[in-house]
Each structure stands twice: as C-alpha cells, then as structure tokens.
Amino acid sequence: MSGARCQTLYPFSGERHRQGLRFAAGELITVLQVPDGGWWEGQKEDGLRGWFPASYVQLLEQKPRKATPQPGEDALNCHLPPGWQSYMSPQGRRYYVNTFTNETTWEQPSSVPGTPKSPGTQKSPAVNGYHISGTPVHQLDSSHMSLRKTSGDPQSPGSPAAPRRQSKESSLTINCVTFPHPDVMPEQQLLKPSEWSYCDYFWADKKDSQGNNTVSGFEILLQKQLKGKQMQKEMAEFVRERIKIEEEYAKNLSKLSQNSLAAQEEGTLGEAWGQLKKSLADEAEVHLKFSSKLQSEVEKPLLNFRENFKKDMKKCDHHIADLRKHLASRYAAVEKARKALTERQKDLEMKTQQLEVKLSNKTEEEIKKARRKSTQAGDDLMRCVDLYNQAQSKWFEEMVTTTLELERLEVERVEMIRQHLCQYTQLRHETDMFNQSTVELVDQLLRKVDPAKDRELWVKEHKTGDIRPVDMEI
C-alpha cells in the first residue's frame, strides 16, 4: 500500500492489545497475514512489524481499489443494499464497506440495508477513542448537547491533515443522558402502547415556564403528583369547613327548638306547633351525626392517605435524583477520560514528529512511554464509558419502575377520593332522609288541624254559660 497519509495508530480491540504501525506517505507495507477480526499484520521496509486495521485501505489518498467485477458478478453487485460498496484488499480478498455507518465485513451484505448475510460481520475496533472506521467514541459538546459523529478516516485529535468524510450523527447527549439521533434513530416501540403511560413520554428534559432553567421529565411527573397531593389537602380542608357548618347549624337548631315563642298556642294547631319545634331538635341531632360521620369517614381518611402519599413521593424523588446525580458524575468521568486521551494522543503525535527530525534512544523511549500512556488512556475511557452505560441502564430501569409506581399511586389516590366523595353524597342523602322523617309527623298533625274542633274544645273548657240574655219587660 502506498500514498497513505501520516497517521499514528495504537489500537486495542477487546482484551487483546495490538501494537499499531505508523505509516508515512508513500511507504511500502508488506502484508504478512490477514486473519479474521478486522486486523492485518504488516511489515515496513525497515523490518518493523505490527498490526494495522483492515479498513486501513480507506485511508489512502487515492480512492480504495474497487473490486473488479468478475464474470457474472455485475448483477450481484447491483443487488448490494444501499450504501454498501465492494473493495479488494491488498491480498486480493473482497470485502464490503457501509458508507453510511463505516461498518466493514468480509461477508456480502444481505438485501436488508446494513445487515450482512451471516453473523460474521466485523465492526472496526476502537483505536484510542476512535473507531478504525472513523467513528469517534467521544461526543462533541455544545451547551447541554453532545453529538457523536462518524467520519471516513481514523483521524486522531490534533491531526487535521487527513480529509474527513462526514456522515449522519448516530447519537446525542442532553444533560448527561444519551439518546439516538433523530435522523438515524431506529423505530422504538412504546413500553405500554395505547395507554399513554408515564414510562413512555417523560425521558427528555424541557425548559421551565420562564425558559431559564431545565426541568427533567421525572420532575414534571413529580410536580403533578405533588399538585395532586395539594388538591387532596384542599379537599380535606373543604370537608372540614362543611363539618364546622354542620356543627354550627346543629347547635343553632337545638337552641331554636328550646325557644318559648308561641308556646301558648292551643288546640290541634298548638299540638302541630309543638311537634315542629321538637322536629328542630331531632334535625339538630341528625346534623350532629352527619358532621361526625363526615369527620371519621371522609376527612380523616383523606388526611391519612395524603400523609402516606407524601412519604411515597419523597422516597421516589430522592431515589431518582440520586441515580441522576450518579449518571452525571459518570458522564463527567467520561469527558475527563476523553480529554486525557486527546492529550495523550497529541503528546504521542508530537513525540513521533520529533523522532522524524532527530533519531535518538531517548526519543524512542519517550515514544514508548507515551504509547503506553495513550493505550492506558484509551482503556480508561472504555472503562468510564462502560460505567456510564451501566449507570444509565440503572437509571432507565428505575425510571420505568418508578413512573409506573407513580401511575399506580395516582390511580389509587383518585379512586380513594372518588370513593370518599361518594360516601359524602351518601351521608348527605341519609341526612335528608332523616330530616324528612322528623317533619313527617309535623305534616300529619298539620293535616289534622281543624279550627272548628279547636273552637269546640276551647269553648267547652272556657265557657261561662250558654243562656243568652233577653229583652227587659215593663
């Protein structure tokens, strides 16, 4: 291979670390072996041997050598999925490159875009924070958002000479949470389709009503629950006021029933009037019982449930807040490791350039040391990314669990309030029935009121004589 841009690679793949080769422009590299796994062993003219990525052919200043169609292969190439191209390796072996994702594979892709025929697809390994296919492991921060971009070359930080072939972003990070980029996002199925569940619609953050601060989706859910708790408190206060009114009303009714006004009324009307005053005392007793039942069967349960609800909300809030803080700390560690890796790569590049100018044992030792530090920085970044992904997975799982729990608590709260309001209306109906019963006897007596009979009774009791006077005689 010739014409490669100057590029320093110190790759690592999985648990096996491989020493990379540095290639100068126009330098001849002899390929010694081409094992599976995306790495080729090569040897330079000075005898130095090492490994370089299978996708190295994409780093040539000249375009990769397109595979020469063999007889009968034109139709086969025409059936490659969109974005796939066929190339020939220096050993004459055909391989395929996805120009959208920079994925490489020895196997011919199937008709499904981005999917090879067999599970033998080999994605390019990472090299000090960069995929060999050119996908940076790190994300480019912009305010609260980071984009993970892909390019067509494994250019290391601080090496602007290599041309870049842009492709779509694969993911973005907002407030320390990583999401698939909308332009390349695969379709995601809702966790609870057709239910408008909390666990499906509150993953992202949003600006508050003033547009100054960012509020998490869970915080919005929590605010709704706290608002529900406040509404429940106000309902309990409303019932308390109703109880006070009933108690005061009963007190006034009892006092009025003992009033002596019109106590001297007689006859059937007097009897009806006396029963009406007695019914006030009975009604006062009914309202006292109504207020007592309101307190025990409506107000008290509302207050008790609200206290338990408040404890559950605090528990959920603290749990998710702690997980989000842990996720943010993991993301900060990733950014720190990424920065350290970039610095190590720049330091390694600088020392390598010094070696080109002046050969010395001291410089070679410094390069070896810088190489080890660069590899270690890459390992640290992989470890930090893995810990971040674990923290995000834990946060995701707990978010699903907690939001579903919030749903359950809200349904329980609404159903409990509904039941106790139904109890209120039932007590109210019972009170009306009792009040009706207290006046039924009054109604009966009023229907029996007979002025003529009252006059007869009164005359018989108070008559002074039934002999009428006559004219005087002379």
Side-chain angles (χ1 to χ4, degrees):
M1 296 180 184
S2 62
R5 283 194 178 276
C6 183
Q7 186 67 232
T8 303
L9 302 174
Y10 298 99
F12 51 89
S13 175
E15 298 181 354
R16 180 180 182 184
H17 294 258
R18 290 174 169 175
Q19 178 61 58
L21 290 177
R22 181 178 182 275
F23 305 105
E27 187 174 8
L28 179 63
I29 305 299
T30 302
V31 179
L32 301 179
Q33 58 173 323
V34 187
D36 291 336
W39 290 89
W40 297 349
E41 185 179 16
Q43 179 174 325
K44 297 169 64 174
E45 292 180 334
D46 58 7
L48 182 61
R49 297 175 59 173
W51 294 85
F52 65 95
S55 57
Y56 177 75
V57 292
Q58 298 182 60
L59 303 177
L60 300 179
E61 286 182 341
Q62 301 175 355
K63 291 184 177 180
R65 181 163 60 95
K66 291 291 290 285
T68 302
Q70 299 296 325
E73 288 187 340
D74 289 339
L76 180 62
N77 289 333
C78 291
H79 288 83
L80 284 176
W84 285 92
Q85 293 184 6
S86 174
Y87 297 97
M88 295 298 293
S89 70
Q91 297 298 100
R93 185 177 179 183
R94 185 187 307 275
Y95 69 100
Y96 302 89
V97 178
N98 188 317
T99 59
F100 294 149
T101 64
N102 293 314
E103 180 183 4
T104 61
T105 177
W106 294 114
E107 302 293 332
Q108 179 183 342
S110 69
S111 58
V112 179
T115 306
K117 276 189 173 181
S118 69
T121 299
Q122 297 292 333
K123 288 187 178 180
S124 303
V127 177
N128 283 346
Y130 281 74
H131 296 295
I132 298 305
S133 61
T135 303
V137 172
H138 66 277
Q139 302 167 17
L140 304 176
D141 291 333
S142 174
S143 181
H144 295 291
M145 180 180 295
S146 299
L147 296 180
R148 180 172 298 168
K149 296 187 175 182
T150 60
S151 65
D153 65 289
Q155 179 180 350
S156 62
S159 178
R164 299 183 68 86
R165 180 160 55 90
Q166 298 294 333
S167 64
K168 292 182 178 180
E169 299 86 356
S170 60
S171 65
L172 62 130
T173 299
I174 305 175
N175 292 342
C176 306
V177 181
T178 303
F179 299 93
H181 195 280
D183 294 339
V184 295
M185 179 181 65
E187 183 179 358
Q188 292 184 343
Q189 296 294 329
L190 296 177
L191 298 177
K192 299 183 72 176
S194 305
E195 294 189 25
W196 291 96
S197 174
Y198 291 158
C199 67
D200 280 317
Y201 298 98
F202 292 90
W203 293 107
D205 300 342
K206 65 181 296 185
K207 293 289 186 179
D208 59 14
S209 57
Q210 289 76 26
N212 299 324
N213 301 318
T214 301
V215 182
S216 69
F218 182 78
E219 185 67 22
I220 293 174
L221 280 177
L222 192 63
Q223 289 175 1
K224 182 183 186 304
Q225 305 303 315
L226 294 177
K227 181 180 179 181
K229 183 194 73 173
Q230 179 63 26
M231 294 302 98
Q232 187 170 333
K233 177 183 178 182
E234 294 180 8
M235 288 179 185
E237 292 175 351
F238 179 89
V239 175
R240 163 72 352 215
E241 291 299 317
R242 184 72 170 92
I243 292 172
K244 290 181 179 179
I245 292 174
E246 289 295 323
E247 291 175 344
E248 186 67 20
Y249 183 57
K251 179 180 178 181
N252 290 332
L253 284 178
S254 179
K255 181 178 179 181
L256 183 60
S257 67
Q258 298 173 11
N259 192 287
S260 60
L261 292 175
Q264 296 181 0
E265 180 64 51
E266 300 175 344
T268 56
L269 181 60
E271 184 180 0
W273 175 253
Q275 185 60 43
L276 186 147
K277 293 172 64 176
K278 183 177 182 300
S279 70
L280 292 182
D282 296 337
E283 186 178 356
E285 184 67 22
V286 170
H287 283 279
L288 277 177
K289 291 180 178 179
F290 176 53
S291 64
S292 177
K293 288 186 177 181
L294 280 181
Q295 184 176 20
S296 61
E297 299 180 18
V298 180
E299 181 197 23
K300 188 175 180 180
L302 284 176
L303 292 175
N304 291 341
F305 184 85
R306 189 180 66 84
E307 289 301 320
N308 295 333
F309 187 78
K310 183 177 180 180
K311 294 177 182 178
D312 292 334
M313 289 301 99
K314 283 187 176 181
K315 182 179 179 181
C316 294
D317 184 20
H318 293 164
H319 183 51
I320 296 298
D322 290 344
L323 289 175
R324 189 66 184 265
K325 290 178 181 178
H326 182 62
L327 180 62
S329 67
R330 291 301 187 191
Y331 180 75
V334 169
E335 293 300 299
K336 183 178 179 181
R338 182 175 296 132
K339 182 179 179 181
L341 174 60
T342 302
E343 293 175 353
R344 295 300 184 191
Q345 288 178 322
K346 289 182 178 179
D347 180 60
L348 180 58
E349 185 71 21
M350 181 184 65
K351 286 181 169 56
T352 304
Q353 292 174 357
Q354 292 175 356
L355 178 62
E356 295 177 356
V357 178
K358 181 180 179 181
L359 294 174
S360 67
N361 293 334
K362 181 179 179 181
T363 304
E364 291 181 356
E365 288 297 325
E366 290 179 348
I367 289 179
K368 291 181 180 179
K369 183 177 179 181
R371 189 175 298 161
R372 289 193 298 269
K373 290 182 177 180
S374 180
T375 301
Q376 181 61 43
D379 289 340
D380 291 342
L381 177 58
M382 291 183 67
R383 179 181 58 83
C384 290
V385 169
D386 183 58
L387 291 175
Y388 167 82
N389 289 334
Q390 292 178 23
Q392 182 168 260
S393 296
K394 178 64 175 177
W395 173 75
F396 170 83
E397 294 171 359
E398 293 301 318
M399 273 286 289
V400 173
T401 302
T402 305
T403 52
L404 291 178
E405 177 65 11
L406 291 183
E407 282 187 17
R408 185 192 67 80
L409 290 174
E410 183 176 14
V411 170
E412 182 179 350
R413 181 186 73 86
V414 172
E415 181 61 22
M416 187 278 299
I417 293 177
R418 188 193 68 80
Q419 290 178 359
H420 285 84
L421 291 182
C422 288
Q423 180 65 14
Y424 167 84
T425 58
Q426 178 65 27
L427 291 174
R428 186 72 180 84
H429 288 315
E430 292 177 358
T431 301
D432 291 340
M433 292 175 60
F434 284 126
N435 286 335
Q436 183 65 30
S437 65
T438 60
V439 297
E440 284 181 356
L441 186 55
V442 177
D443 288 337
Q444 294 175 6
L445 292 177
L446 287 174
R447 285 193 293 269
K448 293 180 180 180
V449 170
D450 184 354
K453 184 176 182 180
D454 288 347
R455 185 173 60 251
E456 175 187 354
L457 294 175
W458 189 85
V459 168
K460 287 181 178 180
E461 181 179 356
H462 297 91
K463 66 181 180 178
T464 59
D466 56 0
I467 304 222
R468 297 182 297 276
V470 297
D471 292 339
M472 178 183 296
E473 294 180 357
I474 300 178

